[in-house]
Amino acid sequence: MRKLTTTASILGVSLALVFTAQAQAPESFRVISPIFGQLVSFSMPSDFVAVFENTKGGHYIREAVLKGETPERWTQMITVIGEKGMTLTPGASPETFAASIAGGFKSACPDSFAARPFGVLKFGRFAGFGAVIGCGRVDSGPTRHSETALLITLKGATDYYTIQWAERGPETDEPPVNDEHWQMRLRELSPIDLCPIVTGEAAPYPSCVSKS
């Protein structure tokens, strides 16, 4: 779901895209992006392309969709979000951050919302939380549809980050949050990690590439 409507600077972020071959998985890109205080690293299937990016104050967002789709008309979307300085927010944790995002979903579909927590996760030395959240009926977009997403939150050194893999489908009373393919989606995004920004280092960020 779109969280900002401000004008985007498409593909303005410096990305390191390193092809990797993963056993029993489609070819993917290693995406390494400097977002606020750290490099955010994960794998993205090669049939996705970034179509929207924006930084507004302490909030960063980038969206990628399947090639040939658009930010308005898409069937799958991978979204990366950064929240600057959020580790200083009292009570903040990967779980409460995930809950706040889930609350946004629920407000859009109070009668058809569902969620399935994966629980506490670890990405390198950084704490995270995973869940699947879904709306059975959403009226935004060209037609009414369902929208379900794998949601990963990470607590960085100073900032918080999320990676979301969302899928749209026919409207339903029960969004497919219990479908086992969300575990596969998590594996496809892996390895997920945060790396320090090294002064003077440019893409493809060899210090982060060499970590995995």
Side-chain angles (χ1 to χ4, degrees):
M1 291 184 184
R2 177 61 55 81
K3 303 184 176 56
L4 291 179
T5 56
T6 53
T7 302
S9 172
I10 304 299
L11 301 179
V13 71
S14 173
L15 297 181
L17 301 179
V18 182
F19 281 110
T20 60
Q22 296 182 351
Q24 298 181 342
E27 187 178 64
S28 62
F29 291 104
R30 175 86 177 276
V31 180
I32 303 175
S33 311
I35 302 175
F36 299 130
Q38 288 179 280
L39 298 172
V40 179
S41 171
F42 66 98
S43 294
M44 186 165 69
S46 59
D47 52 354
F48 279 79
V49 60
V51 291
F52 178 91
E53 179 206 358
N54 189 63
T55 302
K56 184 177 181 181
H59 179 88
Y60 172 87
I61 183 171
R62 185 177 73 249
E63 296 172 338
V65 299
L66 293 172
K67 292 177 181 178
E69 298 186 347
T70 70
E72 294 74 33
R73 292 177 176 267
W74 54 270
T75 58
Q76 296 186 52
M77 177 180 284
I78 296 176
T79 304
V80 181
I81 291 174
E83 297 291 348
K84 187 175 183 179
M86 191 175 168
T87 58
L88 298 177
T89 302
S93 71
E95 184 173 1
T96 59
F97 191 21
S100 69
I101 295 170
F105 263 69
K106 187 174 183 179
S107 66
C109 59
D111 298 326
S112 62
F113 175 78
R116 173 194 174 196
F118 283 172
V120 175
L121 302 172
K122 199 77 171 177
F123 302 100
R125 63 185 182 87
F126 295 98
F129 189 85
V132 182
I133 55 179
C135 280
R137 289 179 295 277
V138 182
D139 288 320
S140 64
T143 60
R144 178 177 281 190
H145 58 273
S146 64
E147 189 167 323
T148 309
L150 170 66
L151 169 64
I152 302 298
T153 59
L154 300 93
K155 179 183 179 181
T158 58
D159 314 308
Y160 270 73
Y161 303 96
T162 77
I163 301 172
Q164 302 173 45
W165 190 332
E167 298 183 9
R168 286 177 172 174
E171 62 175 299
T172 177
D173 291 332
E174 297 183 4
V177 297
N178 293 311
D179 195 315
E180 291 303 315
H181 93 276
W182 296 109
Q183 291 283 359
M184 181 184 70
R185 293 294 190 228
L186 178 57
R187 291 193 295 270
E188 288 181 89
L189 292 172
S190 300
I192 299 170
D193 205 357
L194 302 176
C195 303
I197 294 176
V198 177
T199 302
E201 184 181 64
Y205 307 106
S207 64
C208 193
V209 171
S210 64
K211 284 189 65 177
S212 60

